[in-house]
Coordinates of all heavy atoms in Angstrom, one line a residue:
M1 N 95.3 78.1 157.5 CA 95.5 79.4 156.9 C 94.1 80.1 156.9 O 93.1 79.5 156.4 CB 96.0 79.2 155.5 CG 96.3 80.5 154.8 SD 96.9 80.4 153.1 CE 98.3 79.3 153.2
D2 N 94.0 81.3 157.4 CA 92.8 82.0 157.4 C 92.5 82.6 156.0 O 93.4 82.7 155.1 CB 92.7 83.0 158.5 CG 93.7 84.2 158.2 OD1 94.9 83.9 158.0 OD2 93.2 85.4 158.2
Y3 N 91.3 83.0 155.8 CA 90.8 83.5 154.5 C 91.6 84.8 154.0 O 91.8 84.9 152.8 CB 89.3 83.7 154.4 CG 88.8 84.9 155.2 CD1 88.6 86.1 154.6 CD2 88.5 84.8 156.6 CE1 88.1 87.2 155.3 CE2 88.0 85.9 157.3 CZ 87.8 87.1 156.6 OH 87.4 88.1 157.3
L4 N 92.0 85.6 154.9 CA 92.7 86.8 154.5 C 94.1 86.5 154.0 O 94.5 87.1 153.0 CB 92.8 87.8 155.7 CG 91.5 88.5 156.1 CD1 91.8 89.4 157.3 CD2 90.9 89.3 155.0
N5 N 94.8 85.5 154.6 CA 96.0 85.1 154.0 C 95.9 84.4 152.7 O 96.7 84.6 151.8 CB 96.7 84.1 155.0 CG 97.3 84.8 156.2 OD1 97.6 86.0 156.2 ND2 97.4 84.1 157.3
R6 N 94.8 83.7 152.5 CA 94.5 83.0 151.2 C 94.2 84.1 150.1 O 94.7 83.9 149.0 CB 93.3 82.1 151.3 CG 93.7 80.8 152.2 CD 92.6 80.0 152.5 NE 91.9 79.4 151.3 CZ 90.8 78.7 151.3 NH1 90.2 78.4 152.5 NH2 90.3 78.3 150.2
I7 N 93.5 85.1 150.5 CA 93.3 86.2 149.5 C 94.6 86.9 149.1 O 94.8 87.1 148.0 CB 92.3 87.2 150.1 CG1 90.9 86.6 150.2 CG2 92.2 88.5 149.3 CD1 89.9 87.4 151.0
D8 N 95.4 87.2 150.1 CA 96.7 87.8 149.8 C 97.6 86.9 149.0 O 98.2 87.3 148.0 CB 97.5 88.1 151.1 CG 96.9 89.2 151.9 OD1 96.1 90.0 151.3 OD2 97.1 89.4 153.1
K9 N 97.6 85.6 149.2 CA 98.3 84.6 148.4 C 97.8 84.6 147.0 O 98.6 84.6 146.0 CB 98.3 83.2 149.1 CG 99.2 82.2 148.4 CD 99.1 80.9 149.2 CE 100.0 79.9 148.5 NZ 100.1 78.6 149.1
N10 N 96.5 84.6 146.8 CA 95.9 84.6 145.5 C 96.3 85.9 144.7 O 96.5 85.9 143.5 CB 94.4 84.4 145.5 CG 94.1 83.0 145.8 OD1 94.8 82.1 145.4 ND2 92.9 82.7 146.3
T11 N 96.3 87.0 145.5 CA 96.6 88.3 144.9 C 98.0 88.3 144.4 O 98.3 88.7 143.2 CB 96.4 89.5 145.9 OG1 95.0 89.5 146.3 CG2 96.8 90.8 145.3
D12 N 98.9 87.8 145.2 CA 100.4 87.7 144.8 C 100.5 86.8 143.6 O 101.3 87.1 142.6 CB 101.2 87.2 145.9 CG 101.3 88.2 147.1 OD1 101.1 89.4 146.9 OD2 101.7 87.7 148.2
L13 N 99.8 85.7 143.6 CA 99.9 84.7 142.4 C 99.3 85.4 141.2 O 99.9 85.3 140.1 CB 99.1 83.5 142.8 CG 99.1 82.4 141.7 CD1 100.5 81.9 141.4 CD2 98.2 81.2 142.1
F14 N 98.3 86.1 141.3 CA 97.7 86.9 140.2 C 98.7 87.9 139.6 O 98.9 87.9 138.4 CB 96.4 87.6 140.6 CG 95.9 88.5 139.6 CD1 95.1 88.1 138.6 CD2 96.2 89.9 139.7 CE1 94.6 89.0 137.6 CE2 95.7 90.8 138.7 CZ 94.9 90.3 137.7
I15 N 99.3 88.7 140.5 CA 100.3 89.7 140.0 C 101.4 89.0 139.3 O 101.9 89.4 138.3 CB 100.7 90.5 141.2 CG1 99.6 91.4 141.7 CG2 102.0 91.4 140.8 CD1 99.8 92.1 143.0
D16 N 101.9 87.9 139.9 CA 103.1 87.2 139.3 C 102.7 86.6 137.9 O 103.5 86.6 137.0 CB 103.5 86.0 140.2 CG 104.2 86.5 141.5 OD1 104.6 87.7 141.5 OD2 104.4 85.7 142.4
S17 N 101.5 86.2 137.8 CA 101.0 85.5 136.6 C 100.7 86.4 135.4 O 100.9 86.1 134.3 CB 99.8 84.6 136.8 OG 100.1 83.6 137.8
F18 N 100.1 87.6 135.7 CA 99.6 88.4 134.7 C 100.2 89.8 134.6 O 99.9 90.5 133.5 CB 98.1 88.6 134.9 CG 97.3 87.3 134.9 CD1 96.8 86.7 136.0 CD2 97.2 86.6 133.7 CE1 96.1 85.5 136.0 CE2 96.5 85.4 133.6 CZ 96.0 84.8 134.8
S19 N 100.9 90.3 135.5 CA 101.4 91.7 135.5 C 102.4 92.0 134.3 O 102.5 93.1 133.9 CB 102.1 92.1 136.8 OG 103.2 91.3 137.0
E20 N 103.0 90.9 133.8 CA 104.0 91.1 132.7 C 103.4 91.0 131.3 O 104.0 91.3 130.3 CB 105.1 90.1 132.8 CG 105.9 90.1 134.1 CD 106.9 91.3 134.3 OE1 107.4 91.6 133.2 OE2 107.0 91.8 135.4
L21 N 102.1 90.6 131.3 CA 101.5 90.5 130.0 C 101.1 91.8 129.3 O 100.7 92.7 130.0 CB 100.2 89.6 130.1 CG 100.4 88.2 130.5 CD1 99.1 87.5 130.6 CD2 101.3 87.4 129.6
S22 N 101.2 91.9 128.0 CA 100.9 93.1 127.3 C 99.3 93.1 127.1 O 98.6 92.1 127.3 CB 101.5 93.1 125.9 OG 101.0 92.1 125.1
T23 N 98.8 94.3 126.7 CA 97.4 94.4 126.4 C 97.0 93.4 125.4 O 95.9 92.8 125.5 CB 97.1 95.8 126.0 OG1 97.5 96.7 127.0 CG2 95.6 96.0 125.7
E24 N 97.8 93.2 124.4 CA 97.5 92.3 123.3 C 97.4 90.8 123.8 O 96.5 90.1 123.5 CB 98.6 92.3 122.2 CG 98.3 91.4 121.0 CD 99.4 91.6 120.0 OE1 99.4 92.6 119.3 OE2 100.2 90.6 119.8
E25 N 98.3 90.5 124.7 CA 98.3 89.1 125.3 C 97.1 88.9 126.2 O 96.5 87.9 126.2 CB 99.6 88.9 126.1 CG 100.8 88.7 125.2 CD 102.1 88.7 126.0 OE1 102.3 89.6 126.9 OE2 103.0 87.9 125.7
L26 N 96.7 90.0 127.0 CA 95.6 89.9 127.8 C 94.3 89.7 127.1 O 93.3 89.1 127.5 CB 95.5 91.1 128.8 CG 96.5 91.1 129.9 CD1 96.5 92.5 130.5 CD2 96.3 90.1 130.9
N27 N 94.2 90.3 125.9 CA 93.0 90.3 125.1 C 93.0 89.2 124.0 O 92.0 89.0 123.3 CB 92.8 91.7 124.4 CG 92.4 92.7 125.4 OD1 91.5 92.5 126.2 ND2 93.1 93.8 125.4
W28 N 94.0 88.4 123.9 CA 94.1 87.4 122.9 C 93.1 86.3 123.2 O 92.9 85.9 124.4 CB 95.5 86.8 122.8 CG 95.6 85.6 121.9 CD1 95.8 85.8 120.5 CD2 95.5 84.2 122.1 NE1 95.9 84.5 119.9 CE2 95.7 83.6 120.9 CE3 95.3 83.5 123.3 CZ2 95.7 82.2 120.8 CZ3 95.3 82.1 123.2 CH2 95.5 81.5 122.0
K29 N 92.4 85.8 122.2 CA 91.5 84.7 122.3 C 91.8 83.6 121.3 O 92.2 83.8 120.2 CB 90.1 85.2 122.0 CG 89.5 86.2 123.0 CD 88.3 86.9 122.6 CE 87.2 86.1 122.1 NZ 85.9 86.8 122.1
I30 N 91.7 82.3 121.8 CA 92.0 81.2 120.9 C 91.0 81.1 119.8 O 91.4 80.6 118.7 CB 92.1 79.9 121.8 CG1 92.8 78.8 121.0 CG2 90.7 79.4 122.2 CD1 93.2 77.6 121.8
N31 N 89.8 81.5 120.0 CA 88.8 81.6 119.0 C 87.6 82.4 119.5 O 87.6 82.8 120.7 CB 88.3 80.2 118.5 CG 87.6 79.4 119.6 OD1 86.7 79.9 120.3 ND2 87.9 78.1 119.8
A32 N 86.7 82.7 118.6 CA 85.6 83.6 119.0 C 84.7 83.1 120.1 O 84.0 83.9 120.7 CB 84.8 84.0 117.7
K33 N 84.7 81.8 120.3 CA 83.8 81.3 121.3 C 84.4 81.2 122.7 O 83.8 80.9 123.7 CB 83.3 79.9 120.9 CG 82.4 79.9 119.7 CD 81.9 78.5 119.4 CE 81.0 78.6 118.2 NZ 80.5 77.3 117.9
K34 N 85.7 81.5 122.8 CA 86.4 81.5 124.1 C 86.7 82.9 124.6 O 86.8 83.8 123.8 CB 87.8 80.7 123.9 CG 87.6 79.3 123.4 CD 87.0 78.4 124.5 CE 86.9 77.0 123.9 NZ 86.2 76.1 124.9
W35 N 86.8 83.0 125.9 CA 87.1 84.3 126.5 C 88.6 84.5 126.6 O 89.3 83.6 126.8 CB 86.5 84.3 127.9 CG 85.0 84.5 128.0 CD1 84.1 84.5 127.0 CD2 84.3 84.7 129.2 NE1 82.9 84.6 127.5 CE2 82.9 84.8 128.8 CE3 84.6 84.8 130.5 CZ2 81.9 85.0 129.8 CZ3 83.6 85.0 131.5 CH2 82.3 85.1 131.1
S36 N 88.9 85.8 126.5 CA 90.3 86.1 126.7 C 90.6 86.2 128.2 O 89.7 86.2 129.1 CB 90.6 87.5 126.1 OG 89.9 88.5 126.8
I37 N 91.9 86.3 128.6 CA 92.3 86.5 130.0 C 91.6 87.7 130.5 O 91.0 87.7 131.6 CB 93.8 86.6 130.1 CG1 94.5 85.3 129.8 CG2 94.2 87.0 131.6 CD1 96.0 85.4 129.7
S38 N 91.6 88.8 129.8 CA 91.0 90.1 130.2 C 89.5 89.9 130.5 O 89.0 90.4 131.4 CB 91.2 91.1 129.1 OG 90.7 92.4 129.5
Q39 N 88.8 89.2 129.6 CA 87.4 89.0 129.8 C 87.1 88.1 131.0 O 86.1 88.4 131.8 CB 86.8 88.3 128.6 CG 86.6 89.2 127.4 CD 86.2 88.5 126.1 OE1 86.8 87.5 125.8 NE2 85.2 89.0 125.4
N40 N 87.9 87.1 131.3 CA 87.8 86.3 132.5 C 88.0 87.1 133.7 O 87.2 87.0 134.7 CB 88.8 85.1 132.5 CG 88.3 84.0 131.7 OD1 87.4 83.2 132.1 ND2 88.8 83.8 130.5
L41 N 89.0 88.0 133.7 CA 89.3 88.8 134.9 C 88.2 89.8 135.1 O 87.8 90.0 136.3 CB 90.6 89.6 134.7 CG 91.8 88.7 134.6 CD1 93.1 89.5 134.3 CD2 92.0 87.9 135.9
G42 N 87.6 90.4 134.1 CA 86.5 91.3 134.2 C 85.3 90.6 134.8 O 84.6 91.2 135.7
H43 N 85.0 89.4 134.4 CA 83.9 88.6 135.0 C 84.2 88.4 136.4 O 83.2 88.5 137.3 CB 83.8 87.3 134.2 CG 82.8 86.4 134.7 ND1 81.4 86.6 134.6 CD2 82.9 85.3 135.5 CE1 80.8 85.6 135.2 NE2 81.6 84.8 135.7
L44 N 85.4 88.0 136.8 CA 85.7 87.7 138.2 C 85.5 88.9 139.1 O 85.0 88.9 140.2 CB 87.1 87.1 138.4 CG 87.3 85.7 137.8 CD1 88.8 85.4 137.8 CD2 86.5 84.7 138.6
I45 N 86.0 90.1 138.6 CA 85.8 91.3 139.3 C 84.4 91.7 139.5 O 83.9 92.0 140.6 CB 86.6 92.5 138.6 CG1 88.1 92.2 138.7 CG2 86.2 93.8 139.1 CD1 88.9 93.1 137.7
K46 N 83.6 91.5 138.5 CA 82.1 91.8 138.6 C 81.4 90.9 139.6 O 80.6 91.4 140.4 CB 81.5 91.7 137.2 CG 80.0 92.1 137.2 CD 79.5 92.1 135.8 CE 78.1 92.7 135.7 NZ 77.6 92.8 134.4
I47 N 81.7 89.6 139.5 CA 81.1 88.7 140.5 C 81.6 89.0 141.9 O 80.8 89.0 142.8 CB 81.5 87.2 140.1 CG1 80.9 86.8 138.8 CG2 81.1 86.2 141.2 CD1 79.4 86.8 138.7
N48 N 82.9 89.2 142.1 CA 83.4 89.5 143.4 C 82.7 90.8 144.0 O 82.4 90.8 145.2 CB 84.9 89.7 143.4 CG 85.6 88.3 143.3 OD1 85.0 87.3 143.5 ND2 86.8 88.4 143.0
K49 N 82.5 91.8 143.2 CA 81.8 93.0 143.7 C 80.4 92.8 144.1 O 79.9 93.5 145.0 CB 81.8 94.1 142.5 CG 83.1 94.8 142.4 CD 83.0 95.9 141.4 CE 84.2 96.8 141.3 NZ 84.0 97.9 140.3
S50 N 79.8 91.8 143.5 CA 78.4 91.5 143.9 C 78.3 91.0 145.3 O 77.2 91.1 145.9 CB 77.8 90.5 142.9 OG 78.3 89.2 143.2
Y51 N 79.4 90.5 145.9 CA 79.3 90.1 147.3 C 79.5 91.2 148.3 O 79.2 91.1 149.5 CB 80.5 89.0 147.6 CG 80.2 87.7 146.9 CD1 80.9 87.4 145.8 CD2 79.3 86.8 147.4 CE1 80.7 86.1 145.1 CE2 79.0 85.6 146.8 CZ 79.7 85.3 145.7 OH 79.5 84.1 145.1
F52 N 80.0 92.4 147.9 CA 80.3 93.5 148.8 C 79.1 93.9 149.7 O 79.2 94.1 150.9 CB 80.9 94.7 148.1 CG 82.3 94.4 147.5 CD1 82.9 95.4 146.7 CD2 83.0 93.3 147.8 CE1 84.1 95.2 146.2 CE2 84.3 93.0 147.3 CZ 84.8 94.0 146.5
P53 N 77.9 94.1 149.1 CA 76.7 94.4 149.9 C 76.4 93.4 150.9 O 76.0 93.7 152.1 CB 75.6 94.6 148.9 CG 76.3 94.8 147.6 CD 77.5 94.1 147.6
I54 N 76.6 92.1 150.6 CA 76.3 91.1 151.6 C 77.3 91.2 152.7 O 77.0 91.1 153.9 CB 76.4 89.7 150.9 CG1 75.3 89.5 149.9 CG2 76.3 88.5 151.9 CD1 75.4 88.3 149.0
F55 N 78.6 91.3 152.4 CA 79.6 91.5 153.5 C 79.3 92.7 154.4 O 79.5 92.6 155.6 CB 81.0 91.6 152.9 CG 81.5 90.5 152.1 CD1 82.4 90.6 151.0 CD2 81.1 89.2 152.4 CE1 82.9 89.5 150.3 CE2 81.5 88.1 151.7 CZ 82.4 88.3 150.6
E56 N 78.9 93.8 153.8 CA 78.6 95.0 154.6 C 77.4 94.7 155.5 O 77.4 95.1 156.7 CB 78.3 96.2 153.6 CG 79.5 96.7 152.9 CD 79.1 97.8 152.0 OE1 78.0 98.4 152.1 OE2 80.0 98.1 151.1
S57 N 76.4 94.0 155.0 CA 75.2 93.7 155.9 C 75.6 92.8 157.0 O 75.1 92.9 158.1 CB 74.0 93.2 155.1 OG 74.3 91.9 154.5
I58 N 76.5 91.8 156.7 CA 77.0 90.9 157.8 C 77.7 91.7 158.8 O 77.5 91.6 160.0 CB 77.9 89.8 157.2 CG1 77.0 88.9 156.4 CG2 78.6 89.1 158.3 CD1 77.8 87.9 155.5
Q59 N 78.6 92.6 158.4 CA 79.4 93.4 159.3 C 78.5 94.3 160.2 O 78.8 94.5 161.4 CB 80.4 94.3 158.6 CG 81.6 93.6 158.1 CD 82.6 94.5 157.3 OE1 82.1 95.5 156.6 NE2 83.8 94.3 157.4
K60 N 77.4 94.8 159.6 CA 76.5 95.7 160.4 C 75.5 94.9 161.2 O 74.7 95.4 161.9 CB 75.8 96.6 159.4 CG 76.6 97.6 158.8 CD 75.9 98.4 157.8 CE 76.8 99.4 157.1 NZ 76.1 100.2 156.0
G61 N 75.6 93.5 161.1 CA 74.6 92.7 161.8 C 73.2 92.7 161.3 O 72.3 92.4 162.0
K62 N 73.1 93.1 160.0 CA 71.8 93.2 159.4 C 71.5 92.1 158.4 O 70.4 92.2 157.7 CB 71.6 94.6 158.8 CG 71.7 95.7 159.8 CD 71.5 97.0 159.2 CE 71.5 98.1 160.2 NZ 71.3 99.4 159.7
F63 N 72.3 91.2 158.2 CA 72.1 90.1 157.2 C 71.1 89.1 157.7 O 71.1 88.7 158.8 CB 73.4 89.4 156.9 CG 73.3 88.3 155.9 CD1 73.2 88.6 154.5 CD2 73.2 87.0 156.3 CE1 73.0 87.6 153.6 CE2 73.0 86.0 155.3 CZ 73.0 86.3 154.0
S64 N 70.2 88.8 156.8 CA 69.3 87.7 157.1 C 69.3 86.7 155.9 O 69.3 87.2 154.7 CB 67.9 88.2 157.3 OG 67.4 88.9 156.2
T65 N 69.3 85.5 156.2 CA 69.3 84.4 155.1 C 68.1 84.5 154.2 O 67.0 84.6 154.8 CB 69.4 83.0 155.7 OG1 70.6 83.0 156.6 CG2 69.5 82.0 154.7
P66 N 68.3 84.6 152.9 CA 67.1 84.6 152.0 C 66.3 83.3 152.3 O 66.8 82.3 152.6 CB 67.7 84.6 150.6 CG 69.1 85.0 150.8 CD 69.5 84.6 152.2
L67 N 65.0 83.4 152.0 CA 64.1 82.2 152.2 C 64.6 81.0 151.5 O 64.7 79.9 152.1 CB 62.7 82.6 151.7 CG 61.7 81.5 151.8 CD1 61.4 81.1 153.2 CD2 60.4 81.9 151.1
I68 N 65.1 81.1 150.3 CA 65.6 79.9 149.6 C 66.8 79.3 150.2 O 67.0 78.1 150.1 CB 65.9 80.3 148.1 CG1 66.1 79.1 147.2 CG2 67.2 81.1 148.0 CD1 64.9 78.8 146.3
G69 N 67.6 80.1 151.0 CA 68.7 79.6 151.8 C 68.3 78.6 152.9 O 69.2 77.9 153.4
N70 N 67.1 78.6 153.2 CA 66.6 77.6 154.3 C 66.4 76.2 153.7 O 66.1 75.3 154.5 CB 65.3 78.2 154.9 CG 65.6 79.4 155.7 OD1 66.7 79.6 156.4 ND2 64.8 80.4 155.6
F71 N 66.4 76.1 152.4 CA 66.2 74.8 151.8 C 67.5 74.3 151.3 O 67.9 74.5 150.1 CB 65.2 74.9 150.6 CG 63.8 75.4 151.1 CD1 63.5 76.8 150.9 CD2 62.9 74.6 151.6 CE1 62.3 77.2 151.3 CE2 61.7 75.0 152.1 CZ 61.4 76.4 151.9
R72 N 68.2 73.6 152.2 CA 69.6 73.1 151.9 C 69.7 72.3 150.6 O 70.6 72.4 149.9 CB 70.2 72.4 153.1 CG 70.4 73.3 154.3 CD 71.0 72.6 155.4 NE 72.4 72.2 155.1 CZ 73.4 72.7 155.7 NH1 73.3 73.6 156.6 NH2 74.6 72.4 155.3
F73 N 68.7 71.4 150.4 CA 68.7 70.5 149.3 C 68.7 71.3 148.0 O 69.4 70.9 147.0 CB 67.6 69.5 149.3 CG 66.2 70.1 149.1 CD1 65.7 70.3 147.9 CD2 65.5 70.6 150.2 CE1 64.4 70.9 147.7 CE2 64.2 71.2 150.1 CZ 63.7 71.3 148.8
Y74 N 68.0 72.4 148.0 CA 67.9 73.2 146.8 C 69.3 73.9 146.5 O 69.8 74.0 145.4 CB 66.8 74.2 146.8 CG 66.7 75.0 145.6 CD1 66.1 74.5 144.4 CD2 67.1 76.4 145.5 CE1 66.0 75.2 143.2 CE2 67.0 77.1 144.3 CZ 66.5 76.5 143.2 OH 66.4 77.2 142.0
A75 N 69.8 74.5 147.6 CA 71.1 75.2 147.5 C 72.2 74.2 147.0 O 73.0 74.5 146.2 CB 71.5 75.8 148.8
H76 N 72.2 73.0 147.5 CA 73.1 72.0 147.1 C 72.9 71.6 145.7 O 73.9 71.5 144.9 CB 73.0 70.7 148.0 CG 73.9 69.6 147.7 ND1 75.3 69.7 148.0 CD2 73.8 68.4 147.1 CE1 75.9 68.6 147.6 NE2 75.0 67.8 147.0
Y77 N 71.7 71.4 145.2 CA 71.4 71.1 143.8 C 71.8 72.2 142.9 O 72.5 72.0 141.9 CB 69.9 70.9 143.7 CG 69.4 70.8 142.3 CD1 69.5 69.6 141.6 CD2 68.8 71.9 141.7 CE1 69.1 69.6 140.2 CE2 68.3 71.8 140.4 CZ 68.5 70.7 139.7 OH 68.0 70.6 138.4
L78 N 71.5 73.5 143.3 CA 71.9 74.6 142.5 C 73.4 74.7 142.4 O 74.0 75.0 141.3 CB 71.3 75.9 143.1 CG 71.5 77.2 142.3 CD1 70.8 77.0 140.9 CD2 70.8 78.3 143.0
G79 N 74.1 74.6 143.5 CA 75.6 74.7 143.5 C 76.2 73.6 142.6 O 77.2 73.9 141.9
K80 N 75.7 72.4 142.7 CA 76.3 71.3 141.8 C 76.1 71.7 140.3 O 76.9 71.4 139.5 CB 75.6 70.0 142.1 CG 76.1 69.4 143.4 CD 75.4 68.1 143.7 CE 76.1 67.0 142.9 NZ 75.5 65.7 143.3
N81 N 74.9 72.2 140.0 CA 74.7 72.6 138.6 C 75.5 73.8 138.1 O 75.9 73.8 137.0 CB 73.2 72.9 138.4 CG 72.4 71.6 138.3 OD1 72.8 70.7 137.6 ND2 71.3 71.5 139.0
I82 N 75.8 74.7 139.0 CA 76.6 75.8 138.6 C 78.1 75.3 138.4 O 78.7 75.8 137.4 CB 76.6 76.9 139.8 CG1 75.3 77.6 139.8 CG2 77.8 77.9 139.6 CD1 75.1 78.5 140.9
L83 N 78.5 74.4 139.2 CA 79.9 73.8 138.9 C 80.0 73.1 137.6 O 81.0 73.1 137.0 CB 80.2 72.9 140.1 CG 80.6 73.5 141.4 CD1 80.8 72.5 142.5 CD2 81.9 74.4 141.2
K84 N 78.9 72.5 137.2 CA 78.9 71.8 135.9 C 79.2 72.8 134.8 O 79.7 72.6 133.8 CB 77.6 71.1 135.6 CG 77.5 69.8 136.4 CD 76.2 69.1 136.1 CE 76.0 67.9 137.0 NZ 74.7 67.3 136.7

C-alpha cells in the first residue's frame, strides 16, 4: 500500500472516529494533566504542517540534508528518545 492510500485510510478512520463527537466530548479531559482529544488533534495538525516546507523543497529539488542528518547514530539516538 503506498503512502497516499495510507493517508486516505487514516483520514477515513479519523472521520469515522471523531466526526460524531460534540464539542464538549472533544474538549473533555480525564484530569488537568492529560490532553483532550481536541488538544491532541491540534498538536498533530501543527506538527504535520511543519513538514510542508520540507515537502515543497523536495518537490522543487532544493532539499539538502541538514548537517546533523549525516550522523545516523545521532538521528537514531534522538528518534529512540522521542519515542520514549
Side-chain angles (χ1 to χ4, degrees):
M1 182 182 308
D2 69 306
Y3 72 94
L4 291 176
N5 286 333
R6 290 172 60 186
I7 290 171
D8 289 341
K9 186 175 179 179
N10 283 335
T11 300
D12 292 341
L13 181 60
F14 170 83
I15 290 168
D16 290 344
S17 298
F18 300 109
S19 65
E20 301 286 324
L21 296 179
S22 68
T23 301
E24 183 178 289
E25 290 170 317
L26 288 169
N27 289 309
W28 179 82
K29 293 167 51 167
I30 196 165
N31 64 48
K33 293 184 180 184
K34 301 291 181 182
W35 285 8
S36 67
I37 294 171
S38 182
Q39 288 172 310
N40 277 286
L41 295 175
H43 175 75
L44 290 171
I45 290 167
K46 187 173 184 175
I47 293 299
N48 286 344
K49 279 185 174 182
S50 74
Y51 289 106
F52 293 173
I54 296 168
F55 296 152
E56 288 177 20
S57 67
I58 291 169
Q59 284 179 325
K60 293 176 181 176
K62 296 182 178 183
F63 179 78
S64 60
T65 303
L67 179 63
I68 195 106
N70 295 319
F71 300 99
R72 295 183 68 112
F73 67 91
Y74 184 74
H76 181 71
Y77 169 78
L78 186 60
K80 286 178 79 173
N81 283 316
I82 289 172
L83 283 173
K84 287 181 183 178

